[in-house]
Amino acid sequence: SAGIDKTAAAPSVRSGLEMAVLSISSQLYGTLLPQALAANYWRRPRSMAQLSFGQLPISGFIPRGKTADNVSSATARDEKILFQSFKVKVGHRDSTEDALHLIQLKESSLNGQTLRLRADANQAWDIGSAHVFIDELKRDGNAMLDTIEFIEEPLEKQQTDDGKWSLGVQVAALEVFANGGGLSYALDESLADLALVHDYNFDRIVPDLSKVFGGESLGQT
């Protein structure tokens, strides 16, 4: 917990402060952040510890309303800033405009890098709008889809005929979207919704995850 009282700040604020403290500590001790996060790192032989960890990849972030030129100006001040991919917020405007924005980002570069993108729609689109997004991307050829590693939560909350939401219904719609459009998806809000449905009871959450994704080992340590 990096010595921060749980009652002193909201969880999100505390998490940010803890990561900042851990980052500074790892720099002071000359270790990589994954090493600083590993509880048994200092108990390992030095040679083993050095071989057991790689660098932790960090994605860049392109906020809403920002363009590649904005980000290029910011990163140009430090040529050492190299990100393997960039997270881009979408879903706050027409899905066609969002697709065109990603195409424009693909055609740009940062410090000579070819951009890899991760889109995040925050459950903004209905199914029709999500398909318009994919169709617009495909106008630029399949290379555009290859540039996008995945899209996070493209679909609004999906409900059954009786108005109920479930993770299974949400994932089923996402699978149809992915199989039809050729773009992988990631979960975020859906997992928060699942936790809320089960009142944050992990013992009740795990069976739902097992049912949807399979795997008897879910929840085991």
Side-chain angles (χ1 to χ4, degrees), residues 81-138:
I81 299 178
L82 297 174
F83 298 108
Q84 293 184 2
S85 60
F86 279 80
K87 181 174 181 176
V88 185
K89 286 289 186 180
V90 296
H92 56 290
R93 51 188 169 187
D94 182 82
S95 56
T96 299
E97 294 181 25
D98 279 323
L100 293 174
H101 179 54
L102 294 188
I103 292 171
Q104 183 265 327
L105 290 174
K106 171 184 174 291
E107 294 172 348
S108 64
S109 62
L110 299 181
N111 295 334
Q113 301 177 87
T114 299
L115 289 185
R116 301 282 299 170
L117 303 175
R118 299 177 176 183
D120 183 4
N122 295 114
Q123 293 187 334
W125 297 324
D126 58 26
I127 293 175
S129 297
H131 284 298
V132 168
F133 174 76
I134 292 293
D135 290 342
E136 194 63 41
L137 291 178
K138 288 183 176 180

Side-chain angles (χ1 to χ4, degrees), residues 72-219:
S72 295
S73 297
T75 58
R77 293 191 291 266
D78 188 349
E79 295 182 356
K80 295 181 180 179
I81 299 178
L82 297 174
F83 298 108
Q84 293 184 2
S85 60
F86 279 80
K87 181 174 181 176
V88 185
K89 286 289 186 180
V90 296
H92 56 290
R93 51 188 169 187
D94 182 82
S95 56
T96 299
E97 294 181 25
D98 279 323
L100 293 174
H101 179 54
L102 294 188
I103 292 171
Q104 183 265 327
L105 290 174
K106 171 184 174 291
E107 294 172 348
S108 64
S109 62
L110 299 181
N111 295 334
Q113 301 177 87
T114 299
L115 289 185
R116 301 282 299 170
L117 303 175
R118 299 177 176 183
D120 183 4
N122 295 114
Q123 293 187 334
W125 297 324
D126 58 26
I127 293 175
S129 297
H131 284 298
V132 168
F133 174 76
I134 292 293
D135 290 342
E136 194 63 41
L137 291 178
K138 288 183 176 180
R139 290 180 188 275
D140 195 53
N142 290 331
M144 186 63 225
L145 293 183
D146 293 338
T147 301
I148 303 175
E149 295 179 348
F150 59 80
I151 182 168
E152 193 174 318
E153 296 282 8
L155 301 180
E156 62 188 4
K157 292 181 70 170
Q158 303 295 300
Q159 298 179 334
T160 57
D161 292 337
D162 57 359
K164 293 183 179 179
W165 177 90
S166 73
L167 181 65
V169 171
Q170 191 75 31
V171 169
L174 288 168
E175 285 291 315
V176 171
F177 164 82
N179 292 332
L183 190 61
S184 299
Y185 66 87
L187 298 179
D188 182 5
E189 288 85 0
S190 294
L191 297 178
D193 292 335
L194 178 65
L196 187 62
V197 165
H198 293 299
D199 197 26
Y200 302 95
N201 186 322
F202 188 69
D203 290 334
R204 289 159 53 192
I205 291 171
V206 169
D208 245 9
L209 291 172
S210 298
K211 180 180 178 181
V212 174
F213 297 110
E216 298 298 324
S217 62
L218 280 174

Side-chain angles (χ1 to χ4, degrees), residues 3-74:
I4 300 174
D5 190 335
K6 292 183 178 180
T7 63
S12 59
V13 176
R14 190 171 69 247
S15 175
L17 292 173
E18 289 172 354
M19 289 305 298
V21 171
L22 289 169
S23 179
I24 293 172
S25 298
S26 67
Q27 292 177 46
L28 289 174
Y29 283 94
T31 65
L32 298 172
L33 186 56
Q35 297 167 347
L37 292 173
N40 65 341
Y41 170 70
W42 298 110
R43 294 196 294 271
R44 296 182 175 209
R46 189 63 178 170
S47 58
M48 176 186 283
Q50 288 175 328
L51 293 174
S52 299
F53 295 89
Q55 293 189 6
L56 183 66
I58 298 177
S59 295
F61 179 60
I62 300 178
R64 290 187 174 97
K66 297 296 184 181
T67 66
D69 290 338
N70 297 138
V71 179
S72 295
S73 297

